[in-house]
Amino acid sequence: QVQLVESGGGLVHPGGTMRLSCAASGFTIELYEMSWFRQAPGAGREMVARSINFGGRNEYADSVKGRFTISRDRSKNTVYLQMDSLKPEDTAVYYCFARKSGVGNYWGQGTQVTVSL
C-alpha cells in the first residue's frame, strides 16, 4: 500500500526554522519525482520545492528560494523540507507529493505550519 506521511509541522516564530519530513512506504522514492506543495487558507495549492531526481536537480518557488531546501534520504525512503528564515506568509498546510510518469501520483495527508509571534 502506497503511503506518504508528513511530520514536523507546528508553530514557529518569524525568523525561525523548521524541518518537515515525508516518510514514504509502498514504493521507492528514488524512482519518483518528489515535491512539497502548500496551501494557505483561501488560496490554491502551490508548488514550493521539487526534487527531480537523486542527481540533485531541485526547483523552488521564487517565494522560498534561498530559504527552503529539499533533500532525500535513500536509506530512510524519506524526503525533507528544511525551512529557514520563516515568514508569516509561509503559514499553510504543507503536502508531500510523489510523481512517476506512467505510474501514478500520490499525496500525503498534509501537516500544518504556522508562523506567528
Side-chain angles (χ1 to χ4, degrees):
Q1 180 181 359
V2 172
Q3 196 172 15
L4 294 171
V5 179
E6 300 100 333
S7 61
L11 174 65
V12 63
H13 294 319
T17 65
M18 182 175 284
R19 188 177 80 158
L20 304 181
S21 300
C22 172
S25 58
F27 71 101
T28 302
I29 64 170
E30 183 171 1
L31 303 178
Y32 281 69
E33 176 183 295
M34 301 298 299
S35 303
W36 286 94
F37 284 72
R38 69 185 180 187
Q39 187 166 18
R45 195 170 293 189
E46 63 169 347
M47 190 279 292
V48 173
R50 175 178 293 130
S51 171
I52 305 298
N53 52 43
F54 264 106
R57 179 184 162 197
N58 299 329
E59 298 176 348
Y60 298 92
D62 288 342
S63 58
V64 306
K65 278 182 182 176
R67 300 189 299 120
F68 289 13
T69 304
I70 187 171
S71 62
R72 307 181 184 219
D73 186 325
R74 183 185 282 110
S75 65
K76 295 181 179 179
N77 211 35
T78 297
V79 180
Y80 301 99
L81 183 68
Q82 176 67 40
M83 304 185 292
D84 300 324
S85 302
L86 281 160
K87 304 175 181 181
E89 51 264 43
D90 294 318
T91 295
V93 178
Y94 284 71
Y95 297 91
C96 183
F97 175 69
R99 186 182 78 93
K100 182 172 174 61
S101 179
V103 176
N105 304 328
Y106 310 110
W107 288 96
Q109 83 289 351
T111 184
Q112 175 70 47
V113 172
T114 302
V115 184
S116 179
L117 291 172

